[in-house]
Amino acid sequence: QVQVVESGGGLVQPGGSLRLSCVASGNIFSIAAMDWYRQAPGKQREPVAVGTHFGNTDYADSVKGRFMASRDNAKNTVYLQMNNLKPEDTAVYYCNVRLYTDSTNWGYYWGRGTQVTVSS
């Protein structure tokens, strides 16, 4: 089995910062990608930072210059540093991991998400 766990969310005032973490564990042969998504109330899930595992992250236009993703491949962990947070960043933040459980079998795995609320 594979587990994906996000952490680090919370309530923060506008202009504040948070650092999210995502850890993948379990039956992992290799990881192909670890990406961040978010889903705000009443909206579809959207990508926030993708491609970090390869070292070249693509960011949503709405977060460019404010969010920065980083990785620790040895720990199967990806981080999302969020600065200058805005109320419109309020959402549940999810980690999506594409990984191989052996040399040929792979799949996508989602965590349960971590809530980020930006409010004064």
Side-chain angles (χ1 to χ4, degrees), residues 25-67:
S25 62
N27 183 27
I28 299 173
F29 179 74
S30 67
I31 292 178
M34 297 183 75
D35 300 323
W36 286 102
Y37 289 73
R38 69 184 181 186
Q39 187 166 17
K43 295 187 178 181
Q44 289 188 335
R45 193 171 298 187
E46 63 177 0
V48 175
V50 299
T52 304
H53 199 73
F54 299 104
N56 188 20
T57 306
D58 288 328
Y59 296 95
D61 287 343
S62 59
V63 307
K64 284 180 180 177
R66 300 187 298 120
F67 290 11

Side-chain angles (χ1 to χ4, degrees), residues 3-14:
Q3 297 81 39
V4 177
V5 180
E6 303 95 337
S7 61
L11 173 64
V12 63
Q13 293 186 341

Side-chain angles (χ1 to χ4, degrees), residues 22-103:
C22 168
V23 181
S25 62
N27 183 27
I28 299 173
F29 179 74
S30 67
I31 292 178
M34 297 183 75
D35 300 323
W36 286 102
Y37 289 73
R38 69 184 181 186
Q39 187 166 17
K43 295 187 178 181
Q44 289 188 335
R45 193 171 298 187
E46 63 177 0
V48 175
V50 299
T52 304
H53 199 73
F54 299 104
N56 188 20
T57 306
D58 288 328
Y59 296 95
D61 287 343
S62 59
V63 307
K64 284 180 180 177
R66 300 187 298 120
F67 290 11
M68 179 174 290
S70 59
R71 71 194 193 282
D72 185 336
N73 291 346
K75 296 181 178 179
N76 292 339
T77 299
V78 65
Y79 305 96
L80 187 66
Q81 177 67 43
M82 306 186 297
N83 299 323
N84 190 21
L85 282 160
K86 303 177 180 181
E88 51 263 41
D89 295 318
T90 296
V92 178
Y93 284 71
Y94 296 92
C95 184
N96 178 261
V97 182
R98 183 163 72 90
L99 61 84
Y100 288 80
T101 53
D102 56 39
S103 61

